[in-house]
Amino acid sequence: MRVRLVLTDVDGTLVNQEKELTEGAIAAVRRLGEAGILFAVTSGRPPQGMAMLIEPLDIRTPIAAFNGGVIADRDLKVIEQRVLPDELVGPIIEELSSHELSVWLYRGADWYVLDRGGPHVDREAATVRFEPTVVDSYDGLDSGVAKLVGVSDDHDAVAAGSSAVGDRFGERVSSSRSQPYYVDVTHPDANKGYVARYLADHYSLSSDEIATIGDGPNDVLMFTQSGLSIAMGNASPEVQRAARRVSKSNEDEGFAYALEHFILPAAGPGGAG
């Protein structure tokens, strides 16, 4: 069955290590459109953090931010959102903090941090291209929370924090590592597997007609919801084993390589409307 829609992760996949779109990636997405193949993006980023992708890639499909916690249109108007239960926000923050992780909170269009000089805050601000709001505490910010993030350069602590959140809160939340130094905690239906299913339903596609590309553990769920799954060359061995194909790294035009070598040859005539 031919590929009719491509769903891709952003950081570590679509963009290079400098968080930039390459000319090769832009040209490859243009060739997808010429072949009649839909193109969609999903990321742990907030909606505003994907704004810089819309015009260069001419994205017309729903944009899945916060790993699917927020689905927005091309103008970043929210189509639907899934937020964490209010009563779990405080306990999740407590659990992440107990593993000595810095905690960020995303609520509506705002990103909150307790320490502007904390680990990876500068990197995240440069990536999403807006500044966080610094607060003394998260008291009173427990409603409408789309995502909590635990951050540390101690990758073992991040892994332990992710496991602990999963063990403690079970199916009430989704806990996954988007990078070795991040753990994202979202609504249980806010994961990239849901995004693939949402797009399949939105465009009346079967899972076999979807191709997915990613590099992180949180991309594996969307791999399972697609007929063709492609891991980046910079992905971990575990993520690569979960995919049907492995591309080059994001520093070696791995995204464009995946489209040109694995997807466009399988496009066949026509495409999705």
Side-chain angles (χ1 to χ4, degrees):
M1 189 172 290
R2 68 178 183 271
V3 171
R4 299 180 67 197
L5 182 145
V6 172
L7 174 62
T8 185
D9 168 54
V10 177
D11 297 295
T13 302
L14 176 61
V15 298
N16 61 21
Q17 291 302 102
E18 288 70 48
K19 309 294 185 178
E20 299 168 336
L21 278 171
T22 67
E23 289 301 320
I26 294 170
V29 171
R30 186 181 307 119
R31 285 191 285 276
L32 277 185
E34 292 168 353
I37 302 172
L38 293 162
F39 175 73
V41 294
T42 183
S43 173
R45 293 186 184 195
Q48 308 96 297
M50 293 195 278
M52 73 288 297
L53 306 173
I54 296 170
E55 291 297 331
L57 300 175
D58 193 25
I59 296 174
R60 304 282 176 173
T61 54
I63 293 165
F66 296 135
N67 298 327
V70 170
I71 307 291
D73 64 15
R74 179 183 171 90
D75 298 320
L76 301 184
K77 180 180 178 181
V78 174
I79 298 170
E80 64 173 63
Q81 66 178 346
R82 288 167 168 76
V83 298
L84 289 164
D86 296 1
E87 68 275 12
L88 295 187
V89 171
I92 293 168
I93 291 172
E94 176 187 83
E95 186 66 49
L96 293 173
S97 299
S98 74
H99 291 271
E100 300 187 355
L101 306 183
S102 295
V103 180
W104 303 343
L105 184 150
Y106 289 91
R107 181 174 182 257
D110 297 313
W111 166 32
Y112 296 92
V113 301
L114 300 176
D115 179 9
R116 179 60 183 81
H120 295 279
V121 175
D122 277 341
R123 181 182 181 86
E124 184 73 2
T127 295
V128 301
R129 302 187 187 181
F130 70 92
E131 281 290 314
T133 299
V134 181
V135 294
D136 293 328
S137 79
Y138 292 137
D139 293 346
L141 296 175
D142 52 3
S143 65
V145 175
K147 184 173 75 163
L148 292 167
V149 182
V151 188
S152 176
D153 283 317
D154 182 342
H155 298 175
D156 290 338
V158 173
S162 179
S163 295
V165 168
D167 291 342
R168 179 172 172 183
F169 300 101
E171 294 182 355
R172 292 178 292 171
V173 305
S174 177
S175 174
S176 62
R177 284 175 293 152
S178 54
Q179 298 290 341
Y181 43 84
Y182 289 160
V183 53
D184 294 339
V185 184
T186 58
H187 184 280
D189 290 336
N191 63 70
K192 293 179 180 180
Y194 164 75
V195 175
R197 293 193 300 272
Y198 172 89
L199 291 169
D201 182 66
H202 187 78
Y203 291 106
S204 300
L205 303 174
S206 73
S207 61
D208 286 341
E209 294 175 300
I210 296 176
T212 53
I213 313 175
D215 74 305
N218 65 338
D219 296 318
V220 172
L221 284 176
M222 71 176 182
F223 287 174
T224 67
Q225 302 298 319
S226 61
L228 176 59
S229 52
I230 304 167
M232 297 292 288
N234 48 288
S236 69
E238 292 77 15
V239 172
Q240 291 187 11
R241 284 195 293 270
R244 291 184 61 188
R245 299 285 187 271
V246 177
S247 186
K248 298 181 179 180
S249 80
N250 67 325
E251 283 294 275
D252 193 23
E253 293 285 9
F255 171 78
Y257 183 91
L259 298 193
E260 297 287 358
H261 288 78
F262 303 133
I263 294 173
L264 284 167

